[in-house]
Structures are given as structure tokens and as C-alpha cells.
Amino acid sequence: MRVAGVAFTGSNETAAAIHRALAAREGPIAALIAETGGQNAMIVDSSALAEQVVNDAIASAFGSAGQRCSALRILCVQEEIADRVES
């Protein structure tokens, strides 16, 4: 089977297994693009609209059930707006 490349989103362990399998193959080297769980943050300052922050944070974190590399994991809110975002 001819494989020119593999794109993968998931765990480091699985990415490493794919890398080993590709390296062990005969023939041309196949490219591997692996996205393995970054820590994506949203930084919110006091100029933000609290309602929009909440909507955007929920959409980013849960819009695809958290199953994408760009899912929000860390929400940093400036102290001056924190109470409005939390309530």
C-alpha cells in the first residue's frame, strides 16, 4: 500500500506508534503531522463583553465535544471582569 502521509490528532503514545510504523515501512518516507493535545488558552481582558466570553468559551471547549486540537482548555480572565463572567 502506498502512503504519502498521515495526519493525526490524539495522544502522544498513539502518535509515537504511528511514527514507528511509518519508519519501519519499506519505500519512500511518509510525512506525519501529529497534533497531540496542546494547551489552548483564551485570554480575556476587561474590554470584553462577559456574555460573549461565555458563549465563545463554551463553543470552543465543547463545540466538538472537546475532540479537536483547538478546543479551549484554559480560560484566563482579567480580575476586573471575572465576577461578570462567572455569574
Side-chain angles (χ1 to χ4, degrees):
M1 179 184 336
R2 295 180 356 185
V3 175
V6 175
F8 170 77
T9 299
S11 71
N12 287 328
E13 295 80 15
T14 302
I18 293 170
H19 184 263
R20 286 190 298 274
L22 289 173
R25 295 174 49 244
E26 294 290 327
I29 297 172
L32 171 62
I33 299 169
E35 297 188 27
T36 55
Q39 297 296 319
N40 298 301
M42 179 186 294
I43 300 172
V44 180
D45 70 13
S46 61
S47 69
L49 296 172
E51 299 82 7
Q52 190 65 50
V53 171
V54 171
N55 289 339
D56 291 346
I58 290 171
S60 179
F62 304 108
S64 296
Q67 299 301 310
R68 64 177 194 267
C69 60
S70 61
L72 177 66
R73 292 184 181 212
I74 302 167
L75 179 60
C76 302
V77 181
Q78 189 174 356
E79 199 171 333
E80 290 78 4
I81 191 177
D83 287 343
R84 287 183 283 152
V85 172
E86 288 178 351
S87 56

